Amino acid sequence: MCGRAGIDAKSLIDGVKQDILDKGYTYDDITFSDVQEEMLFGTVKRSDKLLENIFILKEHEGVSAYWDLRTTSKGILGLITLPVKRIIRKLVSFYVEPIVAQQNEVNRLVADSVADLYFDINRMRDRIEFLEKENESLSSMLHDEPDERTAK
Amino acid sequence: MRVIQMVSNISFGDAIGNDVLALNDLLNCAGYETAIYAEVIDPRVAENHTIFSALPLPGLNKDDVLIYHLCINTPVIQKIKQMKCRKVAIYHNVTPHEFFLDHSFSLFTSCKDIREELKKLAGTFDYCIAVSSFNRDDLINNGFTCQIDVRPILIPFGDYEKPPSRTIIDKYNDNNVNIFFLGRVVPNKKQEDVIAAFSCYVKNHNPNARLFIVGSSEGMESYREQLDEYISLLGIENVIFTEKVPFDEILAYYKIADVFLCMSEHEGFCVPLVEAMYFDVPIVAYASSAIPETLAGSGVLLYEKDPLVTAGIIDKLVTDENLRNSVIEGQRKRLMDFSYEKTSKLFLEYIENFIACK
């Protein structure tokens, strides 16, 4: 690492803070979290049944080509069943694996698309709600305002 | 023996994609047989480079080396566990999923899944390279016990010598102050804090300043709407969202920028900081994640988010030439640590050591 020629950030910041005090600057603007709260865009209705289903869908989107190999046979049959199953699995893997991979990709895309649609619907629903409120308040302001001609 | 790289998504102009391409050239020059595999391939990248589809997986034997760029969860991750070759991970970090909950379900689940998957991947890789110590610690916290070395992202600085967009320079290179931030419009990058600081700067110091927020908001439309509403409620003008722009325009924004302002709360490395160093743009950044490490004492690092203070610092950097020069001087020294020669040498040394130690 090279030697540093950084500035003394602490005294710079302290100087700026003193300046702010001297000049009486204050921050009383609206904050971003106020905007988020007011607009309610995209707020997730976490109790929503659809959302629960989406989580379940996401949980099960990936399927596996490999189940546990078991046998209920006993004796010699029991001894040869498992190796035979393993051989069959190996033989068909070239065919099964790409199909499962494709299916998983489709499942992932479906789950993500449903979820994104859910978010978009929520966002638009909230946006409509917000605009309706705004519209309502503007309309009431308009009706409350006395007509300029009659006021004169 | 082949050394191949695999990445989920190779996009044009993206930091990880650039790293992959630069490493490929480097490995090629070092005499290795190489190839790049990706699940999603940007056609603009494919125009000039040969990129193979990651599925079906390439056939690799046990002497081959797979370098996997770990950043998001994809079906391929499950598959590489079964591969018989030697495996190296380059870890670019994963954004905490909580940032996306209210904005993109697919990103939320993708980041959540990879965080959970990371623990299961701990035994998969024989060796890891992290792009920062912050990333290395993240791997260790997730149970990785293999050797982990730190190597910064390989940045081909030669590309920055290309001509910048004249249109942008002619339009904005005047006496007004230009504040600049480059990065996707996503909640972890905290563009709202950049806007809040800019609002204070405009109101208290310089009403004619401009803020350029350069980066795509694709998939983050709700966040972008909130930012637009925030700007309108703050009553400020001159905030310019460019969305995704061509490379020559990015270069032009660096050329016209007076200050690079980064309020991000999660970065695995933060390439734009190094780019700002390259273009001699003084940096003001919030000390989160890997940012203090990338700056390493250069720029101006903020440990608290107070828009008034941030605005005051911007003003000092714009008006006090000595301060500005000192900051730029510090940044130039730090930039030397990221030189292509240094970083590429380090990478080759790491990979050759790994190949030699079977």
Side-chain angles (χ1 to χ4, degrees):
Chain A
M1 298 273 161
C2 297
R4 303 276 161 262
I7 51 138
D8 180 3
K10 195 184 173 302
S11 47
L12 173 67
I13 293 168
D14 287 345
V16 166
K17 281 183 176 171
Q18 192 54 50
D19 254 14
I20 292 167
L21 285 174
D22 295 345
K23 290 177 180 160
Y25 294 148
T26 52
Y27 187 77
D28 44 19
D29 275 329
I30 188 162
T31 64
F32 188 64
S33 49
D34 292 337
V35 175
Q36 286 180 303
E37 217 164 277
E38 195 178 319
M39 292 171 79
L40 294 169
F41 288 172
T43 307
V44 180
K45 309 286 182 283
R46 289 178 186 80
S47 59
D48 206 312
K49 184 72 190 155
L50 179 57
L51 188 63
E52 275 173 38
N53 290 342
I54 291 169
F55 273 109
I56 296 168
L57 191 61
K58 281 300 290 180
E59 215 170 287
H60 295 99
E61 70 182 10
V63 294
S64 170
Y66 299 110
W67 297 85
D68 280 347
L69 291 182
R70 285 179 193 157
T71 179
T72 49
S73 312
K74 285 174 185 161
I76 293 175
L77 199 61
L79 283 174
I80 60 166
T81 310
L82 273 180
V84 168
K85 281 185 177 176
R86 274 194 204 106
I87 291 165
I88 294 169
R89 171 182 280 189
K90 203 86 182 162
L91 287 173
V92 297
S93 65
F94 81 96
Y95 184 71
V96 173
E97 279 186 17
I99 294 176
V100 171
Q102 282 175 13
Q103 186 61 57
N104 281 338
E105 185 60 7
V106 170
N107 291 354
R108 189 179 67 81
L109 290 172
V110 168
D112 285 353
S113 305
V114 172
D116 283 339
L117 279 175
Y118 169 82
F119 266 59
D120 279 349
I121 291 167
N122 252 340
R123 193 160 57 87
M124 284 180 212
R125 191 170 62 188
D126 295 335
R127 176 91 173 137
I128 290 168
E129 216 171 275
F130 172 75
L131 290 172
E132 274 176 352
K133 273 186 198 159
E134 197 176 52
N135 189 28
E136 216 171 88
S137 72
L138 287 173
S139 303
S140 67
M141 274 166 67
L142 201 65
H143 290 124
D144 292 347
E145 222 171 64
D147 190 307
E148 272 184 20
R149 286 164 301 180
T150 52
K152 277 178 192 171
Chain B
M1 186 200 65
R2 293 202 297 155
V3 181
I4 72 150
Q5 291 187 86
M6 197 178 279
V7 62
S8 60
N9 187 340
I10 192 153
S11 310
F12 185 77
D14 158 74
I16 298 174
N18 287 344
D19 194 40
V20 172
L21 297 173
L23 292 181
N24 190 58
D25 291 345
L26 191 64
L27 289 164
N28 250 326
C29 290
Y32 293 103
E33 190 188 331
T34 65
I36 300 172
Y37 288 81
E39 284 172 77
V40 183
I41 304 164
D42 188 325
R44 288 170 298 175
V45 179
E47 267 174 29
N48 301 315
H49 302 89
T50 309
I51 317 280
F52 299 100
S53 169
L55 280 171
L57 288 176
L60 297 175
N61 65 44
K62 64 181 174 48
D63 289 328
D64 292 333
V65 175
L66 168 73
I67 300 176
Y68 188 80
H69 291 258
L70 201 53
C71 48
I72 60 165
N73 197 22
T74 74
V76 165
I77 289 180
Q78 303 301 329
K79 294 277 166 192
I80 60 169
K81 288 179 188 169
Q82 298 154 16
M83 292 173 88
K84 291 190 176 84
C85 59
R86 303 177 74 199
K87 302 177 198 88
V88 178
I90 295 185
Y91 184 51
H92 297 270
N93 213 302
V94 180
T95 309
H97 52 276
E98 294 84 3
F99 282 113
F100 302 117
L101 181 60
D102 287 342
H103 300 284
S104 164
F105 193 83
S106 49
L107 259 175
F108 171 79
T109 50
S110 172
C111 292
K112 188 168 175 281
D113 290 351
I114 183 79
R115 281 254 155 234
E116 283 161 13
E117 196 59 40
L118 214 51
K119 288 189 172 67
K120 295 180 206 159
L121 285 170
T124 303
F125 294 98
D126 307 301
Y127 173 57
C128 290
I129 297 175
V131 297
S132 60
S133 309
F134 172 76
N135 287 7
R136 182 193 52 202
D137 295 347
D138 198 22
L139 287 177
I140 293 169
N141 291 339
N142 279 286
F144 280 66
T145 50
C146 63
Q147 191 187 334
I148 306 170
D149 284 315
V150 176
R151 178 236 25 149
I153 281 189
L154 199 56
I155 304 171
F157 289 104
D159 288 351
Y160 300 145
E161 291 302 322
K162 288 177 183 167
S165 159
R166 280 311 321 166
T167 324
I168 299 296
I169 291 182
D170 292 344
K171 194 171 174 189
Y172 297 118
N173 201 17
D174 48 23
N175 290 328
N176 291 338
V177 169
N178 295 318
I179 297 165
F180 174 46
F181 176 67
L182 172 73
R184 282 183 308 127
V185 180
V186 281
N188 59 298
K189 299 210 185 264
K190 294 281 164 192
Q191 274 88 351
E192 67 265 34
D193 295 329
V194 172
I195 292 165
F198 176 72
S199 164
C200 289
Y201 180 65
V202 164
K203 287 171 185 171
N204 296 339
H205 304 279
N206 186 342
N208 297 320
R210 302 185 192 98
L211 170 64
F212 295 97
I213 297 182
V214 179
S216 167
S217 65
E218 198 184 328
M220 282 291 145
E221 287 75 14
S222 64
Y223 179 56
R224 173 68 205 274
E225 278 174 19
Q226 289 176 343
L227 292 174
D228 287 340
E229 187 67 16
Y230 186 41
I231 291 164
S232 114
L233 290 170
L234 286 172
I236 47 171
E237 287 169 1
N238 289 344
V239 179
I240 299 145
F241 280 95
T242 66
E243 288 297 322
K244 196 164 187 166
V245 294
F247 188 64
D248 65 331
E249 289 191 19
I250 292 178
L251 299 181
Y253 286 115
Y254 276 115
K255 295 265 182 196
I256 59 158
D258 293 290
V259 172
F260 186 86
L261 177 59
C262 174
M263 292 279 116
S264 178
E265 289 187 5
H266 189 272
E267 295 291 340
F269 180 77
C270 201
V271 172
L273 293 178
V274 182
E275 293 175 336
M277 291 174 195
Y278 183 85
F279 287 99
D280 280 344
V281 183
I283 299 165
V284 179
Y286 177 62
S288 77
S289 49
I291 290 174
E293 187 185 342
T294 303
L295 288 179
S298 64
V300 181
L301 200 59
L302 304 170
Y303 287 91
E304 56 181 328
K305 280 194 177 178
D306 181 339
L308 286 171
V309 173
T310 312
I313 303 277
I314 294 170
D315 185 52
K316 288 262 184 252
L317 282 170
V318 170
T319 53
D320 183 341
E321 202 169 325
N322 287 338
L323 173 69
R324 186 181 177 84
N325 290 339
S326 305
V327 169
I328 290 173
E329 190 53 39
Q331 291 180 181
R332 281 183 186 159
K333 286 196 172 165
R334 176 57 175 151
L335 182 68
M336 286 157 74
D337 295 330
F338 301 116
S339 75
Y340 187 84
E341 292 71 30
K342 225 176 195 176
T343 316
S344 56
K345 197 176 152 208
L346 197 63
F347 173 75
L348 275 181
E349 205 179 290
Y350 287 157
I351 283 295
E352 277 165 0
N353 282 345
F354 169 73
I355 290 168
C357 305
K358 285 197 176 177

